[in-house]
């Protein structure tokens, strides 16, 4: 080898070789147990969430070839309990021809019960996916449809695609529902850089007519993507129907990646309940993003999954995970109608089935300026668990939970409530507080439902009035957990913990 070649190798290629080797270090200690991850490679947004014959389908933005964003295709998995997922082959792959690459970006799936599209065969209702085709070379995004007559395993792209083309670079993420009263399909889709949504109507999922637009209200600091439009009964009362719009905006430097609006929708136009400047957020952590609701759930239930956007720390051989399934609820409050979220009722049912050794219940425990470790002496150590605890604040300045405690290097994640600031915060294993939310006690109490799953922490406060989600990267043996009060007392009214490690 000549000298020049050696110098080139040392300075240019070696760093990449080392980096590639570095990234390939497996990180099983961070692979969640009950949150969805692909067996290998990259995932971002959930797509085409649909419930069919007792099965929850999850399609997801996926790079089938690498552990980073690219080659966007729809990966596929199914579940009957929203805890355990069966991995299936890629359902809609990117389309590569001699001169064009078409990435299959985010979208939705609907069951076309009346075969309005004519895509169904043998009198069966087809499953229709509506997605964004992104053409990087042409700098164009259009809306396309694909249909499946084998229960969602494989899809055929419609020969008349695209079904919507505004000749724009940014025009994406269609979400479609059937409106029974109007007997038509309604699509909401984003014009990201214009901070605008468009509503389209269709009788057959192929020909779409513009109904109206909504935008430039709420938070417009970042682009708008992944919109959804969902009917809900306020306080569960069928006479009080409202519509929920959720939108994802920007990325991690905006701690509040998803915002929502509530209002009325008459099948054509959305009317915001609140003044245009009013802002409301779905989750106050940096990671929760691109969530969309399931289609076709029974009994008017509305449940969503979101993507937990990875932080800088590499995970291997997969990257990215989904949130837990969350039920969407609208409640009347003195401030107006507000979004509440709860871990899906389906998940609660699974918890009840766990054996006694996997449950811990403690009621009426006063803690005075100390930490009570539950991870030792009789109870279980676990870094994949679900904690439901209700505190009555006392004289203590702060109280809460310490999870992922590592007895060797003493690192831990603290989920603390600061009484003076009315603030719930998460301090990660490095002691850094990057995720926090202001929330007051409800009827004098703070309830925390903490879903800790190796590298993800989702905290539902006061029955889901606020949600704070983050990612943490504890060591494998960081399985201790405790309840604490600092500088005074706190009353633990109830404490229930389920060990979900396997
Ligand atoms: C959101 C998003 C979508 C797009 C997809 C591409 O994370 O940017 O707007 O459809 O990801 O992977």
């Amino acid at each position: 080898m000549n000298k020049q070649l050696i110098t080139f190798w040392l300075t240019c290629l070696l760093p990449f070789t080392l980096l590639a080797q570095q990234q390939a270090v497996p990180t099983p200690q961070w692979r969640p147990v009950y949150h969805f991850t692909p067996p290998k490679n990259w995932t971002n947004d959930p797509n085409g969430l649909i419930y069919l014959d007792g099965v929850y389908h999850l399609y997801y933005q996926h790079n089938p070839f690498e552990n980073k964003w690219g080659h966007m295709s729809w990966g596929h998995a199914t579940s009957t309990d929203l805890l355990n997922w069966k991995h299936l082959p890629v359902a809609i792959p990117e389309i590569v021809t001699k001169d064009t690459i078409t990435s299959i970006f985010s979208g939705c799936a609907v069951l076309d019960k009346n075969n309005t599209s004519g895509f169904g065969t043998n009198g069966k209702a087809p499953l229709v996916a509506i997605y964004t085709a992104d053409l990087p070379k042409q700098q164009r995004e259009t809306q396309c449809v694909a249909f499946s007559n084998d229960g969602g395993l494989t899809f055929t792209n419609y020969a008349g695609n695209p079904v919507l083309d505004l000749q724009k670079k940014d025009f994406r993420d269609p979400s479609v529902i059937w409106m029974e009263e109007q007997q038509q399909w309604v699509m909401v889709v984003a014009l990201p850089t214009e901070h605008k949504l468009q509503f389209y109507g269709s009788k057959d999922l192929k020909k779409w007519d513009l109904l109206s637009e909504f935008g430039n209200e709420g938070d417009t600091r970042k682009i708008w993507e992944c919109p959804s439009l969902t009917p809900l009964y306020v306080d569960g009362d069928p006479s009080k129907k409202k519509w929920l719009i959720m939108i994802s905006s920007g990325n991690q430097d905006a701690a509040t990646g998803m915002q929502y609006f509530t209002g009325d929708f008459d099948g054509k136009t959305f009317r915001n309940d609140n003044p245009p400047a009013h802002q409301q957020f779905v989750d106050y952590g940096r990671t929760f993003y691109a969530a969309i609701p399931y289609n076709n759930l029974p009994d008017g239930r509305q449940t969503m999954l979101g993507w937990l956007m990875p932080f800088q720390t590499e995970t291997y051989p997969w990257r990215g995970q989904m949130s837990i399934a969350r039920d969407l609820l609208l409640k009347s409050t003195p401030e107006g109608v507000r979004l509440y979220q709860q871990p899906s009722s389906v998940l609660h049912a699974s918890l009840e089935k766990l054996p006694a050794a996997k449950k811990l219940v403690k009621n009426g425990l006063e803690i005075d300026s100390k930490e009570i470790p539950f991870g030792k002496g009789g109870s279980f150590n676990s870094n994949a668990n679900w904690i439901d605890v209700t505190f009555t604040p006392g004289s203590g300045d702060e109280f809460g939970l310490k999870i992922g405690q590592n007895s060797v290097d003493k690192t831990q994640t603290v989920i603390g409530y600061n009484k003076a600031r009315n603030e719930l915060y998460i301090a990660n294993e490095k002691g850094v507080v990057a995720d926090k939310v202001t929330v007051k006690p409800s009827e004098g109490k703070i309830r925390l439902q903490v879903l800790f799953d190796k590298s993800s922490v989702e905290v539902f406060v006061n029955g889901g009035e606020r949600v704070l989600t983050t990612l943490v990267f504890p060591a494998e043996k960081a399985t201790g957990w405790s309840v604490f009060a600092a500088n005074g007392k706190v009353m633990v009214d109830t404490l229930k913990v389920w060990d979900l490690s396997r």
Side-chain angles (χ1 to χ4, degrees), residues 106-127:
S106 288
C108 63
V110 294
L111 183 66
D112 184 8
K113 286 182 187 149
N114 305 324
N115 198 13
T116 60
S117 60
F119 291 141
T121 48
N122 305 328
K124 282 209 337 220
L127 182 65

Side-chain angles (χ1 to χ4, degrees), residues 336-353:
V337 171
R338 293 291 180 267
L339 174 66
Y340 277 63
Q341 295 160 68
Q342 271 295 285
S344 160
S345 55
V346 175
L347 299 169
H348 281 104
S350 304
L351 290 186
E352 298 314 323
K353 289 189 206 129

Side-chain angles (χ1 to χ4, degrees), residues 95-116:
I95 306 164
V96 183
T97 63
K98 202 162 46 54
D99 32 40
T100 306
I101 294 175
T102 305
S103 303
I104 314 298
F105 271 19
S106 288
C108 63
V110 294
L111 183 66
D112 184 8
K113 286 182 187 149
N114 305 324
N115 198 13
T116 60

Side-chain angles (χ1 to χ4, degrees), residues 42 44-45 47 61 69 72 104-107 132 141 172-173 192 223-226 248 289-290 307 309:
W42 169 269
N44 54 293
D45 316 356
N47 296 149
Q61 285 288 278
W69 190 88
M72 280 298 127
I104 314 298
F105 271 19
S106 288
T132 295
E141 288 181 341
R172 60 178 176 271
D173 307 337
I223 55 161
W224 284 17
E225 19 180 52
C226 302
S248 296
Y289 203 69
W307 170 43
M309 193 187 288

Side-chain angles (χ1 to χ4, degrees), residues 9-324:
W9 189 79
L10 280 175
T11 52
C12 301
L13 298 181
L14 185 64
F16 283 108
T17 316
L18 290 177
L19 195 71
Q21 276 169 0
Q22 234 175 35
Q23 286 173 353
V25 174
T27 56
Q29 73 276 23
W30 297 326
R31 168 86 83 172
V33 171
Y34 62 96
H35 285 70
F36 173 82
T37 50
K40 62 175 189 173
N41 294 333
W42 169 269
T43 184
N44 54 293
D45 316 356
N47 296 149
L49 301 182
I50 189 155
Y51 182 73
L52 295 174
D53 302 325
V55 176
Y56 296 88
H57 289 257
L58 160 62
Y59 299 95
Y60 56 93
Q61 285 288 278
H62 186 42
N63 182 343
F65 310 112
E66 296 159 298
N67 202 21
K68 60 179 191 194
W69 190 88
H71 298 286
M72 280 298 127
S73 304
W74 279 25
H76 188 199
T78 55
S79 174
T80 51
D81 59 6
L82 294 167
L83 280 178
N84 298 288
W85 294 93
K86 179 176 163 194
H87 299 289
L88 293 162
V90 166
I92 314 183
E94 71 171 339
I95 306 164
V96 183
T97 63
K98 202 162 46 54
D99 32 40
T100 306
I101 294 175
T102 305
S103 303
I104 314 298
F105 271 19
S106 288
C108 63
V110 294
L111 183 66
D112 184 8
K113 286 182 187 149
N114 305 324
N115 198 13
T116 60
S117 60
F119 291 141
T121 48
N122 305 328
K124 282 209 337 220
L127 182 65
V128 181
I130 304 103
Y131 66 83
T132 295
D134 179 271
L135 294 101
K137 206 164 133 196
Q138 293 81 348
Q139 301 226 316
R140 174 80 54 85
E141 288 181 341
T142 62
Q143 312 322 318
C144 291
V145 300
F147 55 91
S148 171
N149 283 307
D150 62 3
L153 289 176
T154 58
F155 285 82
T156 305
N157 279 300
Y158 168 47
N161 277 338
V163 293
L164 264 177
D165 182 1
L166 303 184
Q167 317 258 320
K168 280 185 191 267
K169 176 172 171 281
D170 291 292
F171 174 46
R172 60 178 176 271
D173 307 337
S175 177
V176 175
I177 53 169
W178 172 252
M179 289 195 68
E180 190 59 34
E181 222 173 287
Q182 285 77 8
Q183 287 289 299
Q184 74 165 348
W185 300 100
V186 171
M187 174 198 293
V188 57
V189 57
L191 293 169
T193 54
E194 298 162 51
H195 307 117
K196 232 162 49 177
L197 307 181
Q198 290 189 319
F199 298 98
Y200 288 88
S202 175
K203 295 282 178 203
D204 61 4
L205 294 165
K206 297 172 187 162
K207 185 180 172 299
W208 293 91
D209 299 309
L210 183 66
L211 299 170
S212 67
E213 294 187 337
F214 170 76
N216 288 300
E217 301 198 14
D219 182 5
T220 56
R221 289 171 295 176
K222 299 272 170 101
I223 55 161
W224 284 17
E225 19 180 52
C226 302
S228 62
L229 172 72
T230 308
L232 282 161
Y233 295 139
V234 179
D235 305 319
D237 177 351
S239 68
K240 295 198 288 186
K241 187 170 176 177
K242 279 280 173 201
W243 291 81
L244 172 73
I245 285 183
M246 293 191 291
I247 299 166
S248 296
S249 267
N251 48 35
Q252 279 165 27
D253 51 317
T256 41
M258 283 191 71
Q259 65 176 318
Y260 74 91
F261 298 90
T262 58
D264 298 309
F265 185 71
D266 58 5
K268 202 170 182 299
T269 313
F270 178 78
R271 211 161 297 106
N272 188 357
D273 272 349
N274 291 292
H278 184 74
Q279 300 184 355
Q280 308 178 109
F281 298 99
V282 177
D283 191 300
Y284 287 79
R286 287 164 299 150
T287 181
F288 189 78
Y289 203 69
I292 52 162
Y294 263 90
N295 258 331
N296 205 37
L297 284 178
D299 315 320
R301 262 169 54 209
Q302 298 289 3
T303 302
M304 69 172 169
L305 281 186
W307 170 43
L308 303 187
M309 193 187 288
F311 292 173
Q312 295 305 323
T313 307
E314 296 286 341
T315 58
Y316 183 82
W318 83 98
R319 195 144 159 73
Q321 62 177 289
M322 296 301 159
S323 75
I324 208 67

